Amino acid sequence: MSDPIATDMIDGIWPFLKSRSLLLQIDWRDPWLALLLTFHIAVTMTALMTRNHANFQIILFLVLLLLVYFTETINEVAATNWMVFSRQQYFDSKGLFISIVFSTPILMNCMIMVASWLYQSSQLMTSLKRAQLRQQAKNRQSNGDLSNANDNTNRQKQE
């Protein structure tokens, strides 16, 4: 087991990501990190598989945003009780680690859902406009047939 990460060493996201020594100090085999990865995979699969179920997606979206909203509280509780579930103290006072491993993947899933909703909306608007244009063409054609029939009737009356 490696030495714990000194939480005062983490002063920003780019220095954290650039520093290979910090990334190597993270024990990625820690059970809670494996569980967190499984959670993110499950949420992503659920978001993708339920993309045609709007009500479920709205609920999932709101729950995910609530999780992100409470990340600071989760970080504080985890920092206080890290010995119960983790081999190392990852939870710095700025919340950088939890933001990277917890909030960022959740927000990416939310962005995927919003992109899916925008795509579905554009497809719906396209099909609606096509149906509208077909209906207008059909109305014009039937109006044209009626006016031709009226012209023929008027000509017959005049003769």
Side-chain angles (χ1 to χ4, degrees):
M1 184 159 85
S2 60
D3 295 329
I5 298 172
T7 55
D8 59 344
M9 289 174 50
I10 303 171
D11 59 355
I13 197 165
W14 292 119
F16 175 75
L17 293 174
K18 284 183 181 178
S19 174
R20 284 183 48 89
S21 63
L22 284 177
L23 289 174
L24 293 175
Q25 288 181 9
I26 297 171
D27 185 8
W28 295 104
R29 292 172 298 177
D30 213 344
W32 78 272
L33 284 171
L35 186 63
L36 184 63
L37 179 65
T38 304
F39 166 76
H40 287 311
I41 291 170
V43 167
T44 302
M45 295 305 294
T46 302
L48 293 174
M49 291 168 50
T50 62
R51 66 184 176 272
N52 294 324
H53 303 290
N55 292 335
F56 182 82
Q57 284 240 314
I58 290 169
I59 292 168
L60 179 63
F61 185 78
L62 292 175
V63 167
L64 291 176
L65 289 181
L66 278 173
L67 284 173
V68 171
Y69 179 78
F70 288 112
T71 298
E72 184 178 356
T73 307
I74 294 168
N75 187 56
E76 290 172 6
V77 170
T80 306
N81 303 309
W82 69 270
M83 288 184 257
V84 175
F85 62 91
S86 181
R87 297 178 191 150
Q88 296 182 36
Q89 162 56 306
Y90 296 108
F91 306 98
D92 58 298
S93 60
K94 294 180 183 177
L96 181 66
F97 184 78
I98 198 165
S99 294
I100 292 172
V101 299
F102 183 70
S103 296
T104 302
I106 288 175
L107 290 173
M108 296 296 265
N109 281 319
C110 289
M111 287 185 350
I112 288 169
M113 284 191 274
V114 169
S116 173
W117 296 340
L118 289 173
Y119 176 76
Q120 289 173 351
S121 295
S122 69
Q123 294 300 310
L124 183 62
M125 286 192 304
T126 302
S127 63
L128 180 65
K129 190 62 179 178
R130 284 182 183 155
Q132 186 181 29
L133 291 173
R134 271 190 243 118
Q135 186 64 36
Q136 286 175 351
K138 193 183 287 185
N139 288 346
R140 274 191 229 121
Q141 183 180 6
S142 60
N143 285 343
D145 291 345
L146 285 175
S147 65
N148 286 341
N150 286 340
D151 288 345
N152 290 338
T153 307
N154 288 339
R155 285 184 195 146
Q156 288 174 355
K157 286 181 183 178
Q158 288 175 355
E159 292 176 358

